[in-house]
């Protein structure tokens, strides 16, 4: 990777208009994680569509925090692009591995498994 992600230092990467899932010490606040789905997952309680994702990002905006707005939008749009499932949604389990730091390992494993299936 071009820029490694170290979860133990995630609190240093917090920005305004974020989801609030990490506290100021970089610990996951599970109730805030679940709140994302309670508030924004209308079609499927365990996934976010592109429209629900937009609603979620807009719902986190702090007034006049333009850098935070752009940061949040870019992060979530990029995540949707690389990690959406075949139905075009971000599954709760996928979003959870973003927060625990194992997303790229999961994506690599999926790619390896997919390649193995093609060769059998």
């Amino acid at each position: 990777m071009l820029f490694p992600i170290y979860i133990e230092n995630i609190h240093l990467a917090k920005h305004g208009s974020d989801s609030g899932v990490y506290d100021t010490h970089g610990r996951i606040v599970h109730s805030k994680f679940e709140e994302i789905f309670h508030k924004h997952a209308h079609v499927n309680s365990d996934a976010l569509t592109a429209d629900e994702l937009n609603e979620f990002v807009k719902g986190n905006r702090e007034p006049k925090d333009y850098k935070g707005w752009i940061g949040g939008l870019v992060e979530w749009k990029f995540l949707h692009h690389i990690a959406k499932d075949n139905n075009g949604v971000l599954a709760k389990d996928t979003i959870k591995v973003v927060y625990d730091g194992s997303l790229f390992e999961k994506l690599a494993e999926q790619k390896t498994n997919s390649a193995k299936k093609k060769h059998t």
Side-chain angles (χ1 to χ4, degrees), residues 48-57 76-77 80 90:
L48 294 176
T49 65
D51 288 341
E52 292 167 345
L53 189 63
N54 287 334
E55 174 188 303
F56 163 62
V57 171
W76 286 101
K77 289 292 187 177
H80 184 264
L90 277 176

Side-chain angles (χ1 to χ4, degrees), residues 48-93:
L48 294 176
T49 65
D51 288 341
E52 292 167 345
L53 189 63
N54 287 334
E55 174 188 303
F56 163 62
V57 171
K58 287 179 183 178
N60 289 329
R61 287 182 177 173
E62 295 174 7
K64 298 184 180 183
D65 176 29
Y66 305 114
K67 288 181 184 178
W69 295 2
I70 292 168
L73 183 64
V74 169
E75 289 168 354
W76 286 101
K77 289 292 187 177
F78 179 71
L79 175 62
H80 184 264
H81 178 73
I82 65 168
K84 65 186 173 195
D85 67 12
N86 292 334
N87 297 318
V89 299
L90 277 176
K92 187 177 193 176
D93 290 341

Side-chain angles (χ1 to χ4, degrees), residues 1-118:
M1 278 198 291
L2 297 175
F3 49 95
I5 300 169
Y6 300 102
I7 294 301
E8 64 270 13
N9 295 327
I10 200 69
H11 64 285
L12 301 173
K14 284 181 59 78
H15 57 76
S17 300
D18 71 1
S19 64
V21 172
Y22 292 118
D23 67 11
T24 56
H25 301 286
R27 296 176 297 220
I28 295 173
V29 180
H30 295 284
S31 61
K32 294 296 276 183
F33 177 77
E34 292 297 329
E35 186 178 292
I36 294 169
F37 299 91
H38 290 298
K39 283 185 174 181
H40 305 287
H42 308 298
V43 174
N44 177 339
S45 63
D46 289 330
L48 294 176
T49 65
D51 288 341
E52 292 167 345
L53 189 63
N54 287 334
E55 174 188 303
F56 163 62
V57 171
K58 287 179 183 178
N60 289 329
R61 287 182 177 173
E62 295 174 7
K64 298 184 180 183
D65 176 29
Y66 305 114
K67 288 181 184 178
W69 295 2
I70 292 168
L73 183 64
V74 169
E75 289 168 354
W76 286 101
K77 289 292 187 177
F78 179 71
L79 175 62
H80 184 264
H81 178 73
I82 65 168
K84 65 186 173 195
D85 67 12
N86 292 334
N87 297 318
V89 299
L90 277 176
K92 187 177 193 176
D93 290 341
T94 301
I95 296 172
K96 188 170 189 135
V97 297
V98 169
Y99 285 110
D100 75 16
S102 61
L103 172 68
F104 294 112
E105 293 169 15
K106 179 182 176 183
L107 292 176
E109 181 181 317
Q110 288 174 345
K111 188 170 184 168
T112 300
N113 290 340
S114 178
K116 285 180 184 177
K117 287 180 184 178
K118 287 181 182 180

